[in-house]
């Protein structure tokens, strides 16, 4: 489908010229994405011959770098239908989210003190909010419904005259569900509350329009959209104007919102990544939608009791979050070591707690332990999907034969009727 | 991150399966909890000489949990009940080279052995009384 794909294929042809999937197969596109080779190509000259400081105003090296950075800014603005003056570069979506939330809170703290978010946000949003709570701000963590989406009436009811900001992610990183952004934006605008959205998982995957959706701030990540790691952006609306207190002080770059010399190659990479994504989004979404369906159909044709976590319709095509009843997620991952996926079980993490996102959906704790997140993307092939399905099915079948819970379920015993000794 | 021994037991688990619970000479231990992410069922078959002649397991859990229970079934075979009851989780953890976060898997395996023995003793004790 593109140059990058051809490169990957040719590197993995066996002697007979048959295309083999590259091992291990990467199915974790919500964690990060490989840089598109076209992005790398665009970046390279800015490491060497065009190395100038984009803030140097007195010579050609500076002007060239500045021109490249401004072109990238326009490319980023274009994918969310914003004006380039409304885009500032950051180190990534974590910084963008921190700046948006803390920046607004600190700037408007004398007027208002309440922020609304959801309990399925990325940790960097939740942790920024917790930090603000310690400073005395009031935070409402809206629950989500069983499908992972917020209830708009609950949002409306939560807004008070003290509310300054609503921060709700566009697409969830674990379950891929798409929140009703335009409806949220409309409610916020009517109530005179700023609307920030963490769009790290949404940019380049679903159409975004900051005016139509009445979004006031929007966070972007480079490495989630086939761009480089270490770069992101924040859209900050100019009309009606959103004001922020900066997190990083210094030379006053990025209109004072974010000091520090811009990393020209990374800016160029993010810009190029956005330009490619904008151009290919429609066709790519159709292709991924087919692969997603192929994956789900393939697994369900061979296995019973596979549950999709998160809404089936309001979902990006690159994500499947599946619970395989009676098979523990980490044990399952060990059986599919040629596949790079992630698990909601998090048995290896220090907490031993399963995913807070799945728990927020009301997924039973034992079901949360059985979940896998499968992320497909630009370089995923049909062949890889088929290989993955075959191996997941085999591993689940084998582990279910070994599972006392599966045995009980087959015998019609309700595992909830048993007095388990929690340890 | 997994030791070769854990991988071996995970890929070639010993003694997977089960015995009919109600059969004479069978002791069943069911430990752990689905909400914690691991459940082990370990069964022993005690022969006329009082030694464990066979053992079976089924485990819901991570690779280390599967390996710990697989190893436990290997170790209890041929042992008397008292010998089997003296198997320590630390021995299982050491044999499998379990990292600190996985020690609870070996604890569960020790608990499963003890629970199976307890179940056998209760059943056979009750059976003897009923026969009197």
């Amino acid at each position: 489908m593109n140059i990058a794909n051809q490169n990957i294929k040719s590197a993995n042809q066996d002697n007979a010229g048959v295309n083999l999937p590259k091992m291990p197969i990467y199915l974790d596109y919500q964690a990060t994405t490989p840089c598109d080779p076209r992005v790398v190509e665009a970046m390279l000259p800015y490491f060497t011959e065009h190395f100038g400081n984009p803030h140097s105003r007195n010579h050609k090296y500076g002007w060239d770098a500045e021109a490249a950075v401004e072109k990238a800014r326009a490319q980023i603005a274009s994918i969310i239908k914003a004006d380039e003056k409304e885009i500032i570069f950051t180190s990534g979506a974590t910084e963008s989210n921190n700046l948006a939330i803390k920046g607004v809170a600190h700037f408007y703290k004398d007027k208002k003190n309440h922020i609304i978010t959801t309990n399925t946000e990325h940790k960097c949003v939740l942790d920024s909010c917790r930090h603000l709570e310690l400073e005395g701000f009031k935070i409402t963590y809206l629950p989500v419904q069983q499908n992972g989406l917020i209830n708009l009436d609950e949002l409306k009811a939560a807004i008070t005259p003290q509310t300054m900001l609503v921060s709700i992610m566009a697409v969830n990183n674990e379950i891929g569900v798409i929140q009703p952004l335009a409806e949220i934006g409309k409610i916020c605008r009517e109530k005179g509350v700023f609307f920030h959205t963490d769009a790290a998982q949404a940019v380049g995957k679903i159409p975004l329009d900051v005016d139509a959706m009445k979004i006031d701030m929007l966070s972007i990540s480079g490495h989630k959209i086939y761009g480089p790691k270490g770069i992101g952006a924040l859209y900050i609306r100019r009309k009606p104007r959103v004001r922020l207190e900066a997190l990083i002080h210094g030379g006053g770059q990025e209109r004072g919102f974010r000091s520090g010399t811009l990393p020209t190659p990374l800016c160029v990479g993010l810009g190029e990544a956005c330009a490619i994504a904008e151009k290919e989004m429609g066709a790519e979404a159709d292709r991924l939608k087919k692969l997603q369906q192929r994956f789900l159909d393939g697994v369900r044709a061979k296995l019973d009791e596979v549950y999709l976590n998160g809404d089936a319709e309001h979902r990006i095509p690159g994500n499947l979050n599946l619970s395989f009843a009676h098979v523990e997620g980490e044990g399952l991952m060990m059986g599919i070591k040629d596949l790079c996926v992630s698990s909601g079980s998090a048995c290896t993490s220090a907490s031993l707690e399963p995913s807070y996102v799945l728990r927020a959906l009301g997924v039973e704790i034992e079901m949360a332990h059985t979940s896998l997140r499968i992320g497909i993307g630009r370089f995923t092939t049909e062949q890889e999907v088929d290989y993955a399905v075959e191996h997941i099915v085999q591993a689940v079948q084998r582990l279910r034969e070994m599972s006392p819970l599966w045995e009980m379920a087959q015998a019609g015993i309700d595992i909830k009727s048993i007095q388990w000794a929690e340890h | 991150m997994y030791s070769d021994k854990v991988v071996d037991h995970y890929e070639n688990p010993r003694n997977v399966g089960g015995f009919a619970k109600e059969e004479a000479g069978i002791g069943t231990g069911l430990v752990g909890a689905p909400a914690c992410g691991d459940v082990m069922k370990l069964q022993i078959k005690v022969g006329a000489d009082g030694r464990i002649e066979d053992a079976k397991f089924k485990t819901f859990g991570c690779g280390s949990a599967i390996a710990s229970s697989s190893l436990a079934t290997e170790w209890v075979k041929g042992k008397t009940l008292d010998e089997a009851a003296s198997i320590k989780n630390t021995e299982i953890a050491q044999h499998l080279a379990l990292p600190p976060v996985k020690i609870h898997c070996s604890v569960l395996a020790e608990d499963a052995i003890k629970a199976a023995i307890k179940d056998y003793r209760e059943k056979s004790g009750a059976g003897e009384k009923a026969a009197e």
Side-chain angles (χ1 to χ4, degrees):
Chain A
M1 124 205 196
N2 57 39
I3 308 161
N5 229 347
Q6 283 160 12
N7 285 346
I8 284 180
K9 275 184 186 162
S10 62
N12 287 285
Q13 283 186 344
D14 70 6
N15 294 334
V18 175
N19 289 326
L20 299 173
K22 185 181 179 192
M23 292 293 172
I25 295 172
Y26 188 74
L27 295 170
D28 205 7
Y29 277 84
Q30 275 85 58
T32 191
T33 59
C35 243
D36 191 299
R38 292 168 289 182
V39 168
V40 177
E41 204 178 322
M43 290 168 67
L44 285 176
Y46 295 93
F47 285 104
T48 50
E49 66 256 46
H50 306 305
F51 62 87
N53 183 327
H55 315 293
S56 296
R57 290 292 163 82
N58 304 316
H59 52 66
K60 188 173 183 321
Y61 288 97
W63 302 329
D64 285 352
E66 187 189 21
V69 163
E70 294 315 313
K71 180 187 167 198
R73 203 188 297 279
Q75 288 169 317
I76 297 161
S78 172
I79 200 170
I80 58 168
K81 308 251 183 313
D83 186 280
E84 62 216 57
K85 292 188 202 74
E86 299 174 306
I87 302 294
I88 69 152
F89 288 101
T90 66
S91 61
T94 290
E95 186 189 329
S96 298
N97 289 334
N98 269 268
L99 175 57
I101 295 166
K102 292 178 189 167
V104 160
H106 290 152
F107 193 91
Y108 295 95
K109 65 177 185 290
D110 294 335
K111 295 193 177 100
K112 294 174 173 185
N113 73 342
H114 180 228
I115 293 170
I116 298 170
T117 186
T118 77
N119 58 3
T120 55
E121 294 297 311
H122 191 274
K123 283 274 163 81
C124 64
V125 168
L126 293 175
D127 218 43
S128 293
C129 288
R130 287 206 188 97
H131 185 83
L132 289 173
E133 266 181 299
L134 296 177
E135 290 179 25
F137 290 91
K138 298 249 184 316
I139 315 284
T140 298
Y141 300 92
L142 281 182
V144 295
Q145 306 169 94
Q146 212 169 2
N147 60 3
L149 301 176
I150 64 152
N151 178 326
L152 293 167
D153 291 331
E154 284 180 20
L155 171 63
K156 260 184 232 166
I159 297 174
T160 75
Q162 280 298 306
T163 309
M164 58 169 79
L165 175 69
V166 168
S167 178
I168 295 178
M169 70 201 318
V171 169
N172 184 273
N173 50 309
E174 286 193 36
I175 54 175
V177 298
I178 306 165
Q179 297 290 354
L181 298 176
E183 288 82 352
I184 297 169
K186 187 165 172 276
I187 292 168
C188 291
R189 191 63 58 84
E190 280 168 6
K191 302 259 190 177
V193 176
F194 291 132
F195 173 33
H196 163 250
T197 187
D198 170 7
Q201 300 283 353
V203 171
K205 301 190 178 79
I206 57 168
L208 292 168
D209 182 329
V210 289
D211 285 335
M213 294 172 163
K214 300 185 169 56
I215 295 166
D216 298 308
M217 291 182 289
L218 182 148
S219 301
I220 299 174
S221 165
H223 75 105
K224 306 286 192 195
I225 59 168
Y226 311 94
K229 294 172 178 62
I231 186 84
L234 179 65
Y235 157 79
I236 306 169
R237 178 174 290 284
R238 282 160 73 97
K239 270 183 196 166
R241 190 172 174 200
V242 182
R243 307 184 72 175
L244 302 178
E245 192 181 290
L247 294 179
I248 297 174
H249 303 96
Q253 292 90 345
E254 299 299 272
R255 296 176 16 240
F257 285 126
R258 208 274 189 179
S259 289
T261 299
L262 285 174
T264 314
L266 300 181
C267 298
V268 168
L270 177 57
E272 188 65 22
C274 286
I276 294 169
E278 188 177 5
K279 190 164 71 173
E280 297 180 354
M281 191 178 340
E284 179 65 358
D286 291 344
R287 192 185 75 88
L288 290 177
K289 183 89 199 144
K290 288 196 190 93
L291 289 182
Q292 182 189 42
Q293 198 58 47
R294 189 181 181 91
F295 207 112
L296 198 55
D297 292 346
V299 166
R300 286 193 162 153
K302 299 270 177 62
L303 297 174
D304 294 331
E305 293 204 56
V306 177
Y307 303 99
L308 179 66
N309 297 310
D311 197 273
E313 296 303 316
H314 299 99
R315 181 185 206 99
I316 54 162
N319 171 283
L320 284 174
N321 190 306
L322 301 172
S323 285
F324 298 88
H326 314 304
V327 173
E328 197 273 330
E330 196 198 334
L332 177 54
M333 292 223 292
M334 196 173 164
I336 49 171
K337 53 186 184 304
D338 285 339
L339 310 179
C340 302
V341 298
S342 77
S343 167
S345 157
C347 225
T348 41
S349 78
S351 68
L352 296 177
E353 288 292 320
S355 151
Y356 68 93
V357 173
L358 295 182
R359 298 289 291 133
L361 265 57
V363 173
E364 299 270 359
I365 193 162
E366 48 264 44
M367 278 303 238
H369 277 295
T370 72
S371 71
L372 291 187
R373 179 182 72 180
I374 295 144
I376 56 177
R378 188 174 288 170
F379 305 110
T380 309
T381 64
E382 203 172 273
Q383 206 180 13
E384 288 178 331
V385 166
D386 292 347
Y387 182 94
V389 166
E390 191 188 326
H391 284 76
I392 288 174
V393 166
Q394 278 172 6
V396 170
Q397 284 171 340
R398 186 176 92 91
L399 291 169
R400 278 182 175 172
E401 285 308 309
M402 258 198 252
S403 167
L405 302 180
W406 177 251
E407 183 181 71
M408 287 177 205
Q410 298 303 297
I413 301 167
D414 179 9
I415 64 165
K416 287 189 191 65
S417 70
I418 295 175
Q419 281 276 314
W420 299 101
E422 310 232 343
H423 51 287
Chain B
M1 66 170 279
Y2 291 104
S3 71
D4 291 346
K5 281 186 178 148
V6 169
V7 171
D8 180 42
H9 276 281
Y10 175 84
E11 284 175 357
N12 312 292
R14 332 296 199 245
N15 312 308
V16 174
F19 305 115
K21 251 183 167 174
E22 55 286 351
E23 229 173 77
I26 303 300
T28 303
L30 183 66
V31 298
C36 304
D38 30 24
V39 174
M40 288 181 191
K41 188 184 85 166
L42 191 144
Q43 292 184 295
I44 53 171
K45 186 176 190 179
V46 183
D49 60 354
R51 283 184 182 274
I52 296 169
E53 63 182 35
D54 204 357
K56 298 276 183 203
F57 86 94
K58 283 199 174 187
T59 289
F60 163 84
C62 64
S64 302
I66 289 169
S68 296
S69 37
S70 169
L71 181 67
T73 58
E74 272 197 322
W75 279 4
V76 297
K77 275 201 217 180
K79 285 195 166 68
T80 64
L81 297 181
D82 287 341
E83 285 166 359
S86 71
I87 293 171
K88 293 271 170 297
N89 85 283
T90 47
E91 298 168 303
I92 294 169
Q94 197 179 11
H95 182 86
L96 294 172
L98 298 181
V101 292
K102 295 296 180 186
I103 296 300
H104 71 276
C105 298
S106 64
V107 174
L108 213 54
E110 183 190 319
D111 290 351
I113 297 171
K114 291 205 162 84
I117 293 170
K118 182 165 175 269
D119 179 62
Y120 168 79
R121 283 184 167 146
E122 279 169 5
K123 269 170 63 187
S124 58
E128 278 159 28
K129 271 178 199 155
E132 273 168 17

